[in-house]
Amino acid sequence: MSQNKPVTQVAPDELTFDVILVGGGMVGAATAIGLAEQGLKVAVVESFVPKAYEPEQPLDVRVSAISVASEMLLDRLGAMDMLLQMRNVPYLGLETWELEGCITQFHCSQIGVSHLGHIVENRLIQLALWQRMAQLDGITLYCPDKVAAFARDSDSVSVHLQSNIKLTAKLLVGADGANSQVRQWTGIGTTGWDYAQSAMLINIKTAQGQQDVTWQQFTPKGPRSLLPLPGNNASLVWYDDANRIKQLMQLNNKQLAEQIRVHFPARLDADFTVESKGSFGLTRRHAQRYYRQNVVILGDAAHTINPLAGQGVNLGFKDVEALLAVIKEALTQQEAWWSKAVLARYQDRRYRDNQLMMTTMDVFYAGFSNDILPLKLLRNGALKLANINSPIKQTVLKYAMGLN
C-alpha cells in the first residue's frame, strides 16, 4: 500500500458491528481508530474518499492549528508520524493586538517547550488517520456511501445505507458535522445563532521564508489573521460582514491582493501574491445534549464554535479522548459500554468545557467588535497587561495548548 493513499476496505458478509460511526473526517476517523484499538468492531460510513497526497499539490485553504494535546492524541492513535511526513508547519508563537504597542505575545520558550502546535491542512490530518485505519482489522470502511435511514431495535441501532446494505450495532456514533443526520434523527436539539459574519481563507505566496508565529489583529469589522504555511506561504483569515466577504470572493486574485494590502496590518509584507481563496459563514451551535440511548455525538455534530482561536478541531479531539476514556473504563469494569450511564459520563466530561470555550470566544469576539472609545482603551490595556510574563500568562498558554 502506498503510504500516502487511503484504502477503502471491502465490507465482510457479516454486517453486525459493535459500533457504527457516521462520518470519516478528522474526528470520526480518530474515534474509529481508538475504538478499534480497544478491540471493538467498527463500521465507518463516509461519503467521500479524501484526495491522495502529492507534495507538489497546491495547498488547501482549509487548515487547522492542532494543539500539542491534539498531537499527543494523534501520536497515541498511531497517526502523528504519518502526518509529519506530509506538509506541516510547527508554530512557536501566538500574537494578538488591536492598537500598536498593546500586544500580547506568547512563545513556546516561556514554558520550556519546543513548539505550541502544528498548522496542517485538514485533508492531510484526515489522510494520516485513514492510513492508520487501513492498518486495523477491526475497522470496515463503507466509502463512498451515505445513510438512507436509521432504525432502533430493542438494544441496538440499524443503519440502512444507500448501497442497500444494512448495518447493526450496539452504539451509533455521529461524527457527521454541523448538519449531523445522526443528531437530527435522535431528536437532539441545538441552541445557537448565526454571527451575520463570514470568514475568508486566503492562501498567499510571500517573499519571506517560512514563518513560525501566528498573529491576529482585531478591528471593529472582525480580526485579520495570519497562519504560517510551509515554505514561502501563509494563510490569511479575513473576518467581516457576510456581504463584504461575498464581494471579496468575486474579485480576481490581483484585485484581492490590493484589498488585503489596504486592510491588513503593515506587519504583512506587501510583496505577496494570492494563490487561492474560500469562505464560510460563522455560526454558533451547541447540542442540548450529547447522547441518547445507543447514540452519541461529538465534534461539529455536537458543537460549532467561533473560529477566532482556531479551537474547533482541538475541541473535537478532546471529545474523542473523553469518549475513548469512558468506554475503556466501562470495558475494564465489564460494564455495558454502550449504555446511557456510560455515555452520560462522556457528556459530563465535555459539555461544560465546550460551553466555557464557546462562551469565552463569544465574549472576546463581541468585546473587540466595536469602536466605543472607553471599551477600546480598556481592552487594549488588558492586552498590554496580559503580555507581562506571569504564572497567569503561562496558565493561559498551557490552556491554549490543550494541556490544562
Side-chain angles (χ1 to χ4, degrees):
M1 179 185 73
S2 169
Q3 192 171 24
N4 292 326
K5 293 184 179 179
V7 171
T8 301
Q9 298 181 17
V10 177
D13 293 333
E14 174 57 56
L15 301 182
T16 300
F17 296 87
D18 296 310
V19 180
I20 302 167
L21 199 151
V22 180
M26 296 181 287
V27 169
T31 306
I33 293 165
L35 294 173
E37 288 182 338
Q38 293 182 23
L40 298 176
K41 192 175 174 185
V42 183
V44 178
V45 182
E46 171 56 42
S47 304
F48 302 102
V49 177
K51 184 180 178 182
Y53 171 68
E54 300 293 342
E56 59 276 5
Q57 289 170 338
L59 289 154
D60 293 346
V61 293
R62 297 303 292 262
V63 300
S64 290
I66 57 172
S67 67
V68 168
S70 294
E71 292 176 16
M72 292 166 64
L73 173 66
L74 293 172
D75 188 54
R76 287 195 298 274
L77 296 176
M80 194 63 195
D81 285 345
M82 299 176 192
L83 180 58
L84 292 179
Q85 292 174 26
M86 296 182 276
R87 290 187 299 231
N88 66 87
V89 175
Y91 63 98
L92 312 185
L94 302 164
E95 300 183 6
T96 298
W97 76 97
E98 181 179 21
L99 299 178
E100 297 295 338
C102 298
I103 188 170
T104 298
Q105 298 170 303
F106 298 100
H107 198 272
C108 60
S109 60
Q110 293 170 332
I111 54 173
V113 296
S114 62
H115 63 287
L116 302 180
H118 279 81
I119 297 173
V120 193
E121 296 154 72
N122 291 0
R123 176 176 62 92
L124 302 189
I125 301 171
Q126 183 187 13
L127 272 172
L129 289 162
W130 276 46
Q131 289 166 13
R132 177 59 181 145
M133 283 202 302
Q135 296 173 350
L136 298 172
D137 293 336
I139 297 176
T140 301
L141 183 59
Y142 294 87
C143 179
D145 212 336
K146 294 182 179 181
V147 174
F150 299 98
R152 186 182 297 282
D153 301 318
S154 58
D155 192 27
S156 63
V157 174
S158 295
V159 175
H160 298 258
L161 303 182
Q162 290 184 358
S163 58
N164 293 321
I165 295 173
K166 178 184 176 182
L167 312 175
T168 301
K170 289 291 188 182
L171 181 65
L172 171 64
V173 178
D176 49 341
N179 298 314
S180 169
Q181 284 182 279
V182 174
R183 187 190 67 231
Q184 293 173 27
W185 172 68
T186 59
I188 295 175
T190 62
T191 58
W193 55 81
D194 294 329
Y195 291 99
Q197 285 205 318
S198 294
M200 189 172 186
L201 310 175
I202 309 159
N203 283 355
I204 63 171
K205 185 172 289 293
T206 73
Q208 293 179 275
Q210 184 168 300
Q211 302 177 62
D212 59 16
V213 172
T214 176
W215 52 255
Q216 182 165 250
Q217 182 183 31
F218 287 96
T219 79
K221 292 288 188 179
R224 310 283 186 262
S225 309
L226 178 142
L227 289 75
L229 293 177
N232 290 51
N233 297 285
S235 170
L236 303 181
V237 188
W238 186 334
Y239 299 80
D240 215 311
D241 175 84
N243 289 328
R244 173 63 169 150
I245 295 298
K246 186 176 180 180
Q247 292 170 355
L248 292 170
M249 283 293 296
Q250 294 172 352
L251 301 179
N252 63 40
N253 287 352
K254 186 175 180 180
Q255 292 169 330
L256 178 58
E258 289 305 315
Q259 288 295 307
I260 292 168
R261 292 183 182 99
V262 171
H263 294 283
F264 266 67
R267 174 170 179 168
L268 177 63
D269 192 323
D271 189 5
F272 68 85
T273 58
V274 171
E275 301 294 305
S276 57
K277 60 185 182 288
S279 66
F280 61 92
L282 302 184
T283 304
R284 183 198 208 260
R285 293 287 183 273
H286 199 191
Q288 294 172 348
R289 57 186 300 160
Y290 291 173
Y291 71 96
R292 293 282 192 192
Q293 182 179 349
N294 302 97
V295 181
V296 67
I297 58 175
L298 71 173
D300 283 354
H303 45 78
T304 59
I305 185 173
N306 191 310
L308 182 65
Q311 289 299 308
V313 70
N314 294 314
L315 290 182
F317 282 144
K318 281 188 173 183
D319 292 350
V320 173
E321 192 141 37
L323 182 62
L324 295 179
V326 298
I327 289 179
K328 183 177 181 179
E329 291 164 5
L331 286 167
T332 301
Q333 298 297 322
Q334 297 185 325
E335 190 177 358
W337 51 268
W338 62 89
S339 68
K340 291 174 73 173
V342 173
L343 301 181
R345 294 201 287 269
Y346 154 70
Q347 176 172 286
D348 289 344
R349 294 189 185 194
R350 294 301 307 141
Y351 199 94
R352 288 176 183 166
D353 184 62
N354 287 332
Q355 185 78 44
L356 175 62
M357 178 61 79
M358 295 170 79
T359 302
T360 301
M361 290 303 100
D362 285 343
V363 170
F364 208 72
Y365 190 77
F368 281 89
S369 297
N370 62 75
D371 213 17
I372 302 171
L373 184 59
L375 283 177
K376 195 169 189 176
L377 294 173
L378 181 64
R379 67 198 182 215
N380 280 276
L383 284 175
K384 193 169 185 177
L385 185 64
N387 199 41
I388 299 172
N389 200 5
S390 66
I392 294 176
K393 183 176 182 179
Q394 294 178 9
T395 299
V396 171
L397 186 52
K398 288 182 179 178
Y399 189 79
M401 296 168 65
L403 300 179
N404 275 352

